[in-house]
């Protein structure tokens, strides 16, 4: 049978198998322990259009509201060859604020795509203009890239170390 939503209660530390890569339902991952694989639980939920609910950090009322409301997501961006290394570069749940970072070689335009359950409901076009370079901006970009690389720490180990050293980030 086809289910619209799945509630997965887990700490993400044991072998979950590959059920979440084989279904098309929104998965809401729910955890109530301090020691958990928070990144994996977040990735499972976000990639499916669901949300990660960490009951250690969120009050029950907030958790219930998260389950009642459809998850608003950044779904991607459209841009030309002048823009590279944009992060986040995959679906990202948006709860309050949102930031995106990238590198560019010349003034350009980027279109940000937002919506629900993989369906685009909002498009925002932004003009990218060159201003004076700032160490803070470069560091924010590096933090976004580091977050992306951390999704596979083993595979990206050397790149994580190099990025952290060059931008003075703690990993």
């Amino acid at each position: 049978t086809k289910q619209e939503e799945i509630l997965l209660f887990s700490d993400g530390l044991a072998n979950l198998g590959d059920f979440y890569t084989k279904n098309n339902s929104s998965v809401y991952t729910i955890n109530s322990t301090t020691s958990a694989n928070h990144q994996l639980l977040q990735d499972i939920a976000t990639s499916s259009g669901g949300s990660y609910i960490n009951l250690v950090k969120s009050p029950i009322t907030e958790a219930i509201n998260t389950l009642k409301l459809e998850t608003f997501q950044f779904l991607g961006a459209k841009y030309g060859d002048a823009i590279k290394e944009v992060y986040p570069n995959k679906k990202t749940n948006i709860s309050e604020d949102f930031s995106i970072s990238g590198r560019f070689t010349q003034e350009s335009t980027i279109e940000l795509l937002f919506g629900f359950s993989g369906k685009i409901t909002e498009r925002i076009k932004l003009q990218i203009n060159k201003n004076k370079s700032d160490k803070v901006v470069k560091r924010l970009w590096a933090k976004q890239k580091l977050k992306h690389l951390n999704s596979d720490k083993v595979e990206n180990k050397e790149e994580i170390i190099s990025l952290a050293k060059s931008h003075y980030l703690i990993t």
Side-chain angles (χ1 to χ4, degrees), residues 68-126:
K68 286 181 181 179
L69 302 173
E70 196 171 2
T71 307
F72 187 61
Q73 292 185 315
F74 167 69
L75 299 172
K78 291 183 177 181
Y79 48 87
D81 293 338
I83 299 175
K84 298 186 180 348
E85 293 192 87
V86 174
Y87 300 102
N89 60 4
K90 59 184 180 178
K91 288 182 185 178
T92 302
N93 290 353
I94 301 173
S95 55
E96 292 178 9
D97 58 0
F98 172 74
S99 66
I100 187 167
S101 63
R103 293 180 162 197
F104 66 98
T105 55
Q106 64 189 33
E107 292 187 357
S108 187
T109 302
I110 187 168
E111 183 178 23
L112 307 180
L113 309 173
F114 298 91
F116 302 91
S117 301
K119 295 178 185 129
I120 299 168
T121 59
E122 190 172 342
R123 297 170 182 265
I124 299 174
K125 284 190 177 184
L126 299 172

Side-chain angles (χ1 to χ4, degrees), residues 85 87 101-103 133-147 149 158-171:
E85 293 192 87
Y87 300 102
S101 63
R103 293 180 162 197
S133 183
D134 187 342
K135 288 182 184 180
V136 174
V137 172
K138 288 179 182 179
R139 189 172 164 91
L140 290 173
W141 169 83
K143 283 182 177 182
Q144 288 273 21
K145 182 172 182 175
L146 181 62
K147 185 176 179 181
L149 293 172
E158 294 302 317
E159 194 172 357
I160 289 170
I161 292 168
S162 175
L163 181 70
K165 285 180 179 180
S166 64
H167 292 281
Y168 306 101
L169 299 174
I170 297 173
T171 62

Side-chain angles (χ1 to χ4, degrees), residues 25-44:
S25 305
S26 296
V27 178
Y28 291 83
T29 53
I30 303 166
N31 169 52
S32 62
T33 63
T34 305
S35 178
N37 188 339
H38 302 286
Q39 186 65 50
L40 175 63
L41 295 172
Q42 179 70 48
D43 289 347
I44 291 170

